[in-house]
Amino acid sequence: MSFSFFKALRPKTPQEVAKSIKDSLMALDTITVVEVKALEKALEEFEKNFATMKCMLCGDGDAEPNVDQVTQLAVEICKEDVLALLIHKLSILGWEARKDLVHCWSILLKQKVDTTYCCVEYIEKHFELLDFLVVCYDNKEIALNCGNMLRDCIKFQTLAKYILESASFGLFFKFVELPNFDVASDAFLTFKDLLTKHGKVVYEFLSVHYDEFFDLYEKLLTSSNYVTRRQSLKLLSEFLLEPPNTQIMKRYILEVRFLKVMMTLLRDSSKNIQMAAFHIFKVFVANPNKPQEIKVILAKNREKLLELLHNLSGGKGAEDEQFEEEKELIIMEIDGLSQS
């Protein structure tokens, strides 16, 4: 008769994985972490449990993840409030654990139970988690992790709508100009997604918050930071000239102050900024229903504008030909205004 001294460990169920993750996260408490050794032990326990969760979600390299187990794990993680704990304890975790968490977060948000994304539904009941992730741009240690997690959330319309309409959204006008280039660039990526992913939601937001939004946006367009000016100008073209925002664009091109901003950007030392400004400036000029104030500004600045436009050149190929045609039409329009 033979005896086995080593009994194979039974794989944990999704319920057990979620519970062990919760317990190890709860151990990362301010009371527990007063002592360095206690913190190290708690982190070690979390990383062990988290590795089990990651394996269940992503597979172990030799085998693909079990779809039913992944779905059940997502359900249990919501039941145990693990999503909230993962966000709030993010700053305590090590670099590798944070990186893995971002990957797991993306997978969890995509899990459906029947027709419902269970983790998205959980966040809809705890919108404050989105505010927390936004504010984390102020913490450069976890800013990029939170940025990735936010952009995964923004793929879902209800979550994007909440951020746009929350007080937290206004913070992006500060975050995109943070001195840390990587963090500022990441914040701009998230800012861009918020303004381009869901056209109808963006239109509804801009319709209600038009003045407040464009007052803040004007500061980005006139920033002393070249990267900010260039990125914000390019983004303005992207969301303003999109079909869902036609009415917003029509309102924008009636305002003298915004025409003046574009005229200033046409004089920028950067050719890239000049070209991007031209594509918005041309809409002001080509508008068949220009207010008298717009006509007066264009006529008064006729000589300077014509000189700028004549010196402005595009790239090569078909795009350059189209640009030259548009430029000639704009020049003719300005000439016509000056004679009326």
Side-chain angles (χ1 to χ4, degrees):
M1 185 181 290
S2 61
F3 295 91
S4 173
F5 291 97
F6 299 98
K7 186 177 179 180
L9 291 175
R10 175 182 64 81
K12 286 186 176 181
T13 65
Q15 293 93 329
E16 290 169 337
V17 171
K19 184 68 168 61
S20 64
I21 285 283
K22 178 180 182 177
D23 290 344
S24 55
L25 282 168
M26 294 289 284
L28 296 173
D29 207 336
T30 49
I31 299 172
T32 306
V33 302
V34 170
E35 297 180 16
V36 174
K37 285 185 178 180
L39 172 59
E40 288 176 351
K41 185 177 178 181
L43 281 172
E44 187 179 319
E45 184 65 20
F46 166 76
E47 288 171 4
K48 182 178 74 175
N49 290 320
F50 187 72
T52 305
M53 184 181 91
K54 181 187 173 188
C55 184
M56 190 172 282
L57 287 173
C58 310
D60 61 4
D62 295 324
E64 291 293 313
N66 181 300
V67 176
D68 291 336
Q69 280 195 331
V70 171
T71 304
Q72 187 60 38
L73 178 59
V75 170
E76 295 299 327
I77 277 174
C78 293
K79 277 185 186 176
E80 296 287 351
D81 287 323
V82 171
L83 285 183
L85 284 168
L86 286 169
I87 289 175
H88 287 299
K89 304 293 186 182
L90 191 62
S91 61
I92 303 176
L93 306 182
W95 183 87
E96 195 68 33
R98 294 200 301 265
K99 186 185 75 170
D100 288 342
L101 172 56
V102 169
H103 182 56
C104 291
W105 178 267
S106 179
I107 295 171
L108 286 167
L109 289 186
K110 295 172 187 173
Q111 299 312 306
K112 263 187 173 182
V113 177
D114 296 325
T115 58
T116 304
Y117 292 98
C118 57
C119 292
V120 173
E121 186 177 57
Y122 177 88
I123 297 171
E124 288 171 352
K125 294 175 182 176
H126 301 83
F127 276 135
E128 70 278 2
L129 296 177
L130 295 175
D131 294 313
F132 186 87
L133 285 173
V134 172
V135 171
C136 282
Y137 269 119
D138 253 337
N139 182 345
K140 65 180 181 181
E141 295 301 319
I142 59 172
L144 303 186
N145 305 116
C146 292
N148 276 302
M149 293 165 74
L150 272 172
R151 287 191 291 279
D152 278 324
C153 291
I154 291 166
K155 292 173 184 175
F156 299 91
Q157 184 169 299
T158 53
L159 305 188
K161 179 179 171 67
Y162 172 78
I163 298 172
L164 276 172
E165 295 177 349
S166 72
S168 300
F169 177 68
L171 295 173
F172 279 98
F173 292 92
K174 164 195 166 187
F175 293 149
V176 298
E177 293 208 88
L178 286 170
N180 184 300
F181 179 79
D182 289 337
V183 175
S185 297
D186 194 276
F188 199 91
L189 281 177
T190 306
F191 185 56
K192 178 181 177 181
D193 277 3
L194 282 166
L195 292 170
T196 56
K197 286 291 183 185
H198 306 283
K200 184 181 177 184
V201 169
V202 173
Y203 167 71
E204 290 171 353
F205 165 74
L206 292 176
S207 296
V208 174
H209 302 279
Y210 178 91
D211 290 323
E212 179 187 1
F213 175 81
F214 283 109
D215 282 349
L216 291 169
Y217 207 92
E218 184 178 352
K219 293 176 182 177
L220 297 183
L221 293 170
T222 56
S223 169
S224 59
N225 185 304
Y226 164 75
V227 175
T228 300
R229 290 199 310 280
R230 182 178 177 182
Q231 288 185 326
S232 57
L233 186 55
K234 184 180 178 183
L235 177 57
L236 181 64
S237 293
E238 286 185 40
F239 74 82
L240 199 59
L241 303 180
E242 280 294 306
N245 292 321
T246 300
Q247 295 305 314
I248 303 297
M249 183 267 289
K250 287 181 178 178
R251 184 174 173 183
Y252 187 87
I253 62 173
L254 296 178
E255 300 204 41
V256 170
R257 64 172 176 148
F258 297 141
L259 171 64
K260 288 180 177 179
V261 171
M262 293 306 139
M263 288 168 60
T264 299
L265 291 171
L266 278 173
R267 300 199 308 269
D268 198 277
S269 58
S270 163
K271 179 182 174 181
N272 288 321
I273 289 179
Q274 290 177 357
M275 289 295 294
F278 171 79
H279 289 298
I280 299 178
F281 172 76
K282 71 185 180 187
V283 186
F284 282 90
V285 180
N287 178 18
N289 301 309
K290 290 187 285 292
Q292 185 59 30
E293 296 93 329
I294 296 285
K295 293 178 181 179
V296 168
I297 293 291
L298 292 172
K300 281 185 176 180
N301 291 275
R302 172 183 176 276
E303 296 299 330
K304 290 180 181 178
L305 286 170
L306 292 180
E307 182 181 355
L308 281 170
L309 292 171
H310 281 301
N311 291 331
L312 194 60
S313 61
K316 296 181 179 180
E319 286 187 7
D320 185 42
E321 290 179 14
Q322 182 182 347
F323 165 74
E324 291 297 334
E325 289 176 7
E326 291 176 347
K327 188 174 78 169
E328 287 307 312
L329 289 172
I330 297 305
I331 287 172
M332 287 173 61
E333 180 67 24
I334 293 173
D335 253 342
L337 285 173
S338 66
Q339 295 165 7
S340 59

